[in-house]
Amino acid sequence: MNLARGAIILTICALAGCSSGDGTLRYFSDSGGGPEEFNIVPSKELEQPEDYAALPAPTPGGSNRVDQQPLGDAVAVLGGRPSALEDQGVSTADGALVTYASRAGVDPQIRPTLAAEDEEFRRRKAMFNNLRPFKLDQYYRAYEDQSIDPRNVAQYYVRRGVPVPSYPPVD
């Protein structure tokens, strides 16, 4: 009986070694042959500009004048400036913080390095996903060891006498 169980485990491990290991931790599938309703986004009405020379140059992958801007539209309706939501870079108030954080140097390749390391991590974690009988979302399980529980962190600091201004809400 133990020999048969060992043979089954060995077979499963051998098959897992042959899997593609493409790093897929999430399984999303459409339920039918119809259109995906979340891919259809209505745009604003087209309008003729007053001066065609004043139009910005097209940018591939950039925004369009008729794209929905729900946050900006909400700010405008409430009397604010939608342009305040645009990325303005580092403000002068945060300049000292950025300078201090980069005092030991800044790696210009940090994003590609982290992307490659995360891709390898996901590939390793997804290695046995092809053997599962049900295609379940494994994303949160894979990153579980790297997540932070805010209640535990708050309790850690409270026990050490550090004042905690607000406690994390209960889920």
Side-chain angles (χ1 to χ4, degrees), residues 78-143:
L78 295 172
R81 289 181 306 113
S83 61
L85 297 173
E86 295 174 9
D87 185 12
Q88 306 291 328
V90 178
S91 68
T92 53
D94 294 333
L97 175 64
V98 171
T99 302
Y100 182 77
S102 59
R103 68 192 179 281
V106 177
D107 182 5
Q109 296 297 317
I110 190 65
R111 289 181 188 265
T113 301
L114 289 177
E117 289 173 359
D118 190 54
E119 183 177 349
E120 174 62 20
F121 173 79
R122 285 184 279 118
R123 188 193 62 73
R124 279 193 325 263
K125 289 291 187 173
M127 191 175 300
F128 295 104
N129 275 359
N130 296 337
L131 300 176
R132 296 182 189 275
F134 304 107
K135 302 265 187 208
L136 300 175
D137 189 357
Q138 299 295 319
Y139 181 83
Y140 292 110
R141 178 179 280 169
Y143 288 99

Side-chain angles (χ1 to χ4, degrees), residues 146-159 164 166-171:
Q146 299 177 16
S147 65
I148 298 172
D149 182 3
R151 295 194 78 69
N152 287 345
V153 172
Q155 289 171 358
Y156 172 85
Y157 284 108
V158 166
R159 282 193 300 268
V164 177
S166 66
Y167 222 67
V170 177
D171 291 337

Side-chain angles (χ1 to χ4, degrees), residues 61-78:
S63 63
N64 192 325
R65 291 170 42 111
V66 296
D67 287 344
Q68 294 287 349
Q69 303 290 335
L71 292 177
D73 293 344
V75 167
V77 166
L78 295 172

